[in-house]
Amino acid sequence: QGVLMKHGKDLAGHLLKLLKKEQVAKRQAELLRFVTALAEHVKAEAVLPAVQSLLESKNLAVRAEAIGLQARFGKAEKVFESLSELARTYRPRKMGIAMRRAAALGLGQLRGGGKDKQKILKRLLNDPSREVRSAAVASLMRTGAGLREIVNRMNRGFVDIGRAALDVVCRDLSPSRRVATVILSSAWKVRGGRLRQQALGCAQSLAAASFRLSMWLSDQATVLKDPSMRRAAAPAVALALEKRGAGLNRLARFYLRDRDNSVRRAVLEAVAKRLPKRPAFLFRHVEPLTRSNDPLLRAAATALLVPTAAKKNVQEAQKALVRLLADDEAPVRRAAVKACAKLSKASLGAQQKG
């Protein structure tokens, strides 16, 4: 995401050049979607000539994407009239769906339109086609004014609206933390948990970019009975601990005392990759795990023993390593050997003071 945003202008220009040469409809549609995602990095004079010939394409997907881009860069009044007409196209069926979807996407790109635009998009939320409804969700979220309507429908159990909203949040190059948090929280509450797995995956993909979202994910996962959800939250827990350190000691305590060994192991492995600047608060949670009955958990805890040991814990860490070097399991002994290599006064002093 960062690379795309940093080099968006160059990438968009390159995509437009490819679009002018491309003859295969499927690739044309893909290129148009990429250009749409990078629309803020290009100018109308570069886009409109490239899409003009595609507005009459025999391929409905290509035509729909081209209409969306024309809406973004064309004259608002003229384009709005055209899109309003397309939004009422129902025959023939296949073309009608493609044109209503194009209208929904185009209205989201259109600058202006105000309440009339919102009215059409809200009507398309009731469209018989899921593709059209999803496009209407994406456009309402892009305009910002339709977020409440989408959340209301999610709260009433409209699963497909929730799925479409999650797709938008997860695919956004620079998601709004507020919008993402609102949509994720609403999806989590949908009856029967039908959106939780998708919400979890979405939150994981965003957590690395947002401390707020990582906190939401790690907190929500604590209430679930399914350990697979808590395991999936491990990277978010590690990010939260890296950002706030000892201030989130209760989060470390909860996850490292989880009743499921696989959850504790996942968190230890994630924390090892994102160690807090002052990790000493973790030692009292890590050291007891080196005596676990699970050899894989012992090995994961052993790997963190030295990095989390402050000066006052050095002797305790040494005693633990002596014990672990004689462990019955090879993975534990290997982890102990690696830990011993780190156990020097210089390395300990550099990693953790006090």
Side-chain angles (χ1 to χ4, degrees):
Q1 288 181 352
V3 172
L4 287 175
M5 295 306 293
K6 187 176 180 180
H7 303 287
K9 185 177 180 180
D10 294 336
L11 180 57
H14 179 65
L15 291 173
L16 285 171
K17 289 179 183 178
L18 291 177
L19 184 61
K20 289 178 182 178
K21 298 177 183 177
E22 188 57 66
Q23 298 298 317
V24 179
K26 185 177 179 181
R27 291 175 186 166
Q28 287 176 334
E30 288 177 351
L31 288 168
L32 285 167
R33 279 194 287 274
F34 286 136
V35 172
T36 299
L38 295 165
E40 64 185 80
H41 297 285
V42 291
K43 295 182 179 179
E45 54 266 30
V47 174
L48 291 176
V51 302
Q52 192 63 42
S53 62
L54 301 177
L55 291 169
E56 303 299 327
S57 172
K58 293 181 180 179
N59 185 283
L60 296 178
V62 172
R63 197 190 305 181
E65 297 295 339
I67 289 170
L69 270 174
Q70 186 195 40
R72 175 73 168 78
F73 294 99
K75 292 183 179 179
E77 188 175 334
K78 185 178 179 180
V79 172
F80 179 73
E81 188 179 332
S82 174
L83 293 176
S84 300
E85 223 174 283
L86 289 177
R88 294 190 293 271
T89 304
Y90 286 88
R91 292 285 184 272
R93 182 179 177 278
K94 191 174 181 180
M95 180 177 285
I97 292 173
M99 292 303 98
R100 294 196 307 280
R101 177 179 176 275
L105 291 173
L107 286 167
Q109 294 288 343
L110 185 67
R111 293 177 178 177
K115 291 182 179 179
D116 290 334
K117 178 171 72 173
Q118 299 297 326
K119 187 176 179 181
I120 295 172
L121 287 172
K122 288 178 181 179
R123 174 170 61 80
L124 291 174
L125 285 177
N126 298 315
D127 195 274
S129 167
R130 186 177 65 179
E131 293 176 39
V132 178
R133 294 195 299 272
S134 296
V137 168
S139 290
L140 281 168
M141 289 181 64
R142 185 175 290 112
T143 61
L147 185 60
R148 181 177 294 180
E149 179 71 21
I150 291 168
V151 170
N152 286 340
R153 288 176 184 249
M154 290 172 67
N155 291 340
R156 283 153 51 196
F158 286 81
V159 175
D160 64 322
I161 297 295
R163 291 195 192 287
L166 286 169
D167 281 341
V168 173
V169 167
C170 289
R171 281 187 272 185
D172 197 337
L173 291 178
S174 52
S176 159
R177 284 182 288 181
R178 184 186 71 84
V179 171
T181 304
V182 169
I183 293 297
L184 287 167
S185 299
S186 300
W188 204 265
K189 297 171 186 175
V190 170
R191 283 177 296 179
R194 289 175 289 177
L195 290 176
R196 284 191 173 183
Q197 193 64 48
Q198 187 182 354
L200 186 68
C202 182
Q204 278 186 280
S205 69
L206 296 172
S210 169
F211 170 72
R212 184 177 177 184
L213 289 174
S214 71
M215 280 301 304
W216 175 86
L217 173 58
S218 53
D219 277 338
Q220 288 292 335
T222 61
V223 303
L224 300 176
K225 294 180 180 179
D226 185 353
S228 66
M229 296 291 194
R230 298 194 300 281
R231 279 199 302 273
V237 174
L239 174 61
L241 293 175
E242 181 188 37
K243 296 291 185 182
R244 291 289 176 86
L248 288 178
N249 184 54
R250 55 99 184 163
L251 195 66
R253 181 173 64 249
F254 183 93
Y255 274 93
L256 293 177
R257 294 183 184 179
D258 194 277
R259 57 187 175 276
D260 188 281
N261 283 345
S262 66
V263 174
R264 290 188 281 184
R265 189 170 70 248
V267 172
L268 287 172
E269 291 170 353
V271 169
K273 295 174 183 176
R274 308 193 72 143
L275 203 65
K277 287 184 179 180
R278 295 181 176 274
F281 72 98
L282 292 170
F283 184 81
R284 60 178 173 174
H285 303 303
V286 170
E287 195 278 333
L289 298 181
T290 63
R291 294 188 290 274
S292 167
N293 292 327
D294 181 346
L296 292 178
L297 181 57
R298 291 202 303 277
T302 301
L304 270 177
L305 201 58
V306 173
T308 59
K311 287 184 177 180
K312 63 181 180 181
N313 303 124
V314 170
Q315 289 187 350
E316 194 174 351
Q318 289 174 331
K319 290 178 182 178
L321 287 174
V322 169
R323 169 172 50 81
L324 292 163
L325 286 169
D327 196 276
D328 293 335
E329 299 293 333
V332 180
R333 294 196 299 272
R334 283 197 296 270
V337 169
K338 290 180 181 178
C340 286
K342 300 176 184 177
L343 190 60
S344 68
K345 187 175 180 180
S347 64
L348 277 170
Q351 292 177 45
Q352 182 65 44
K353 293 184 179 180

